[in-house]
Amino acid sequence: MENKRVYFDNAATTMVDRRVLEHMLPFFSEHYGNASSLHLEGIKAYQVVEWSRNQLAQLVQAQPEEIYFTSGGTESNNFAIKGLARSSKKRHIITSPIEHPAVLKTAQSLAREGFTLSFLPIDNKGIVKVEELESMITPNTLLVSVMLGNNEVGTIQPLKELSLITRSKGVLLHSDAVQAVGNMPVDVKDLGVDLMSISAHKFYGPKGIGALFVRKGTNLLPLLDGGEHEQGKRSGTYNTPGIAGLGKACEIALQEMDEFVPRISTLRDDLINKILHQIPEAYINGDLKNRLPGNVHLSLPYVEGEALLLRLDDAGFAVSTGSACSAHNLKISHVLKAMSTDVLCAQGSLRISLGRHNKQEDIDAFVQVLADVARDLRQMSPLYRASKEGDRHV
Amino acid sequence: MYNEIILDHFRKPRNVGVIEDADGVGEVGNAVCGDMMTFYLKVKDDCIVDARYQTFGCGAAIAVSSMVSEMIKGKKIQEVMEMTHKDVSNMLGGLPPQKEHCSNLGIDAVKKAIEDYRAKKACNNTSAVQK
């Protein structure tokens, strides 16, 4: 059995960068003070919290006081949406059908409390239809929440165009940007977002730490009451090792962005081309241009995603799928469904998310294995046989 | 998630294939639900002498079809008709709860193939009488 592993699931989580880990370690047992304490131990902890806040603010072009640390993407999305809902009398929220469950379920939870939800339609490439937004906004609309980079098919949403509309209508714009921040240039001023969710473990930082960007002057109420940390908006003792790690991950992302983005994008495009050329009937989902640098999302008709995933895992490759069988609820991905993907294609979907550690040789080896696995599983698929017989009859 | 027996059958599925002159063919499932299985049987003296299948589906679905093919080969039709999905699941050392339905699929496909065989046989007998 092959021992070498190739990790192609960087959209799920990334490996903590060695430099990040080293930066975190002293904050466990050396500078272990509570960042709210006034003694030296506390000051050391406080300093790293503020240093990290600055790093993140620089990475996304925000002001440090606009950054609130949270436990990660899920909390940030809950905080943004529920926090705003509690601070306003407006009762209408617009989101998209391809959001992460941390946004969708949060919005649905508010709908059960009496909020009205509307969904901005998307096209079959997985991009929201900006032109539909204006007519959906009513005087009762509080918020539009649209993600920046889709976690499944990798599409980059037109936030800047959406913000021109939300601004002119006096509606707030939130974006779940956990897939994008640290992996591509993100500028809150340029995008025009009022709130933005960030997660460290999506860009080589630790799990369990994230942040919410909240534009100055935006009123939102806290979810967690307690010791009034983070300007009273997010109570809870500072997770200093996590925050230190997030800060370091931001610093590295900022330094290496110019090298990283073109390199990963080139690998991605090479992988896409090789798949399309070497695997019959393979189909790439999403948009080829407006795409996260590391995202490849494909469909292989006649085979099922979980079977593909397990075979690839056996061959040493870690990938992900949106097939129904792999999901705990046995339903196909809501993203592929919203994109009106053919059901056969949705069942045979695979997500390959490239990261910093992936190399050209990994891509080449993967395509070879994928071609073999696809051939093998199609060979035993009654659907494949039926389609070939259909061809013969034509 | 899957135990070693299931993984073994998934990795090396037994008896995969199509019998062109099968005595009975049974197909269950569809692409929408994500599982589809076609069983092909050769029958001699009320005994299943060969069983092949094609499966579109997840790891559990493939393992189930492989296990079912082994369980029914050489068995009397009556014995096979009495098998339940629980027997298949037990032979595989237990399926994860959300995959339990896959075991139905295997048994259903085989029983459908047997019905097909019986229907064909009845039809042949009728035509023989008519001659």
Side-chain angles (χ1 to χ4, degrees), chain A residues 93-107:
Chain A
I93 293 172
I94 300 171
T95 184
S96 90
I98 60 167
E99 297 300 307
H100 188 276
V103 165
L104 283 179
K105 297 251 168 109
T106 302

Side-chain angles (χ1 to χ4, degrees), chain A residues 299-328:
Chain A
S299 286
L300 295 179
Y302 320 117
V303 297
E304 193 281 323
E306 189 206 84
L308 275 169
L309 182 153
L310 293 172
R311 283 282 163 96
L312 291 168
D313 188 35
D314 280 344
F317 296 93
V319 300
S320 173
T321 173
S323 84
C325 282
S326 68
H328 292 295

Side-chain angles (χ1 to χ4, degrees), chain A residues 93-133:
Chain A
I93 293 172
I94 300 171
T95 184
S96 90
I98 60 167
E99 297 300 307
H100 188 276
V103 165
L104 283 179
K105 297 251 168 109
T106 302
Q108 284 159 2
S109 146
L110 288 173
R112 285 193 294 276
E113 292 171 21
F115 278 77
T116 309
L117 281 191
S118 304
F119 292 93
L120 195 51
I122 61 157
D123 63 20
N124 59 11
K125 300 243 180 203
I127 295 181
V128 295
K129 293 180 176 169
V130 180
E131 66 277 13
E132 305 269 338
L133 180 62

Side-chain angles (χ1 to χ4, degrees), chain A residues 79-187:
Chain A
F79 182 20
I81 298 169
K82 290 177 181 163
L84 280 178
R86 295 170 89 179
S87 71
S88 170
K89 291 208 157 53
K90 293 180 177 176
R91 287 290 176 269
H92 177 224
I93 293 172
I94 300 171
T95 184
S96 90
I98 60 167
E99 297 300 307
H100 188 276
V103 165
L104 283 179
K105 297 251 168 109
T106 302
Q108 284 159 2
S109 146
L110 288 173
R112 285 193 294 276
E113 292 171 21
F115 278 77
T116 309
L117 281 191
S118 304
F119 292 93
L120 195 51
I122 61 157
D123 63 20
N124 59 11
K125 300 243 180 203
I127 295 181
V128 295
K129 293 180 176 169
V130 180
E131 66 277 13
E132 305 269 338
L133 180 62
E134 193 156 357
S135 64
M136 291 170 73
I137 295 175
T138 73
N140 199 28
T141 307
L142 166 68
L143 167 74
V144 175
S145 179
V146 173
M147 68 203 330
L148 181 49
N150 181 269
N151 53 303
E152 291 190 34
V153 296
T155 40
I156 308 282
Q157 303 300 322
L159 263 296
K160 194 172 175 173
E161 295 165 53
L162 293 171
S163 75
L164 291 175
I165 299 166
T166 54
R167 289 260 166 104
S168 73
K169 292 276 185 177
V171 172
L172 293 165
L173 179 63
H174 164 252
S175 185
D176 172 1
V178 303
Q179 292 290 338
V181 172
N183 290 309
M184 59 178 256
V186 174
D187 178 336

Side-chain angles (χ1 to χ4, degrees), chain A residues 115-342:
Chain A
F115 278 77
T116 309
L117 281 191
S118 304
F119 292 93
L120 195 51
I122 61 157
D123 63 20
N124 59 11
K125 300 243 180 203
I127 295 181
V128 295
K129 293 180 176 169
V130 180
E131 66 277 13
E132 305 269 338
L133 180 62
E134 193 156 357
S135 64
M136 291 170 73
I137 295 175
T138 73
N140 199 28
T141 307
L142 166 68
L143 167 74
V144 175
S145 179
V146 173
M147 68 203 330
L148 181 49
N150 181 269
N151 53 303
E152 291 190 34
V153 296
T155 40
I156 308 282
Q157 303 300 322
L159 263 296
K160 194 172 175 173
E161 295 165 53
L162 293 171
S163 75
L164 291 175
I165 299 166
T166 54
R167 289 260 166 104
S168 73
K169 292 276 185 177
V171 172
L172 293 165
L173 179 63
H174 164 252
S175 185
D176 172 1
V178 303
Q179 292 290 338
V181 172
N183 290 309
M184 59 178 256
V186 174
D187 178 336
V188 292
K189 290 199 190 78
D190 182 54
L191 293 176
V193 292
D194 300 295
L195 304 101
M196 188 174 79
S197 303
I198 296 146
S199 172
H201 77 98
K202 303 294 191 188
F203 60 106
Y204 315 94
K207 294 160 186 65
I209 189 74
L212 181 67
F213 157 78
V214 183
R215 186 175 300 289
K216 232 178 280 176
T218 310
N219 187 25
L220 86 166
L221 288 173
L223 291 188
L224 304 179
D225 296 307
E228 304 266 306
H229 303 75
E230 297 293 85
Q231 306 171 56
K233 298 289 189 204
R234 203 282 187 177
S235 293
T237 299
Y238 287 102
N239 168 8
T240 41
I243 291 170
L246 183 152
K248 191 69 185 175
C250 290
E251 185 189 55
I252 295 168
L254 203 56
Q255 283 166 358
E256 300 183 355
M257 189 74 73
D258 290 347
E259 177 273 329
F260 168 83
V261 174
R263 181 165 61 82
I264 299 302
S265 305
T266 305
L267 283 183
R268 173 199 65 193
D269 293 341
D270 183 56
L271 177 55
I272 288 175
N273 285 332
K274 284 183 168 136
I275 287 169
L276 291 176
H277 281 102
Q278 295 181 31
I279 302 175
E281 295 180 73
Y283 180 84
I284 301 292
N285 298 304
D287 190 273
L288 290 177
K289 199 159 65 74
N290 297 306
R291 192 174 198 107
L292 288 166
N295 177 285
V296 175
H297 194 285
L298 68 133
S299 286
L300 295 179
Y302 320 117
V303 297
E304 193 281 323
E306 189 206 84
L308 275 169
L309 182 153
L310 293 172
R311 283 282 163 96
L312 291 168
D313 188 35
D314 280 344
F317 296 93
V319 300
S320 173
T321 173
S323 84
C325 282
S326 68
H328 292 295
N329 57 10
L330 301 178
K331 286 185 181 145
I332 63 164
S333 135
H334 66 284
V335 176
L336 296 177
K337 203 173 161 196
M339 287 163 63
S340 312
T341 309
D342 172 76

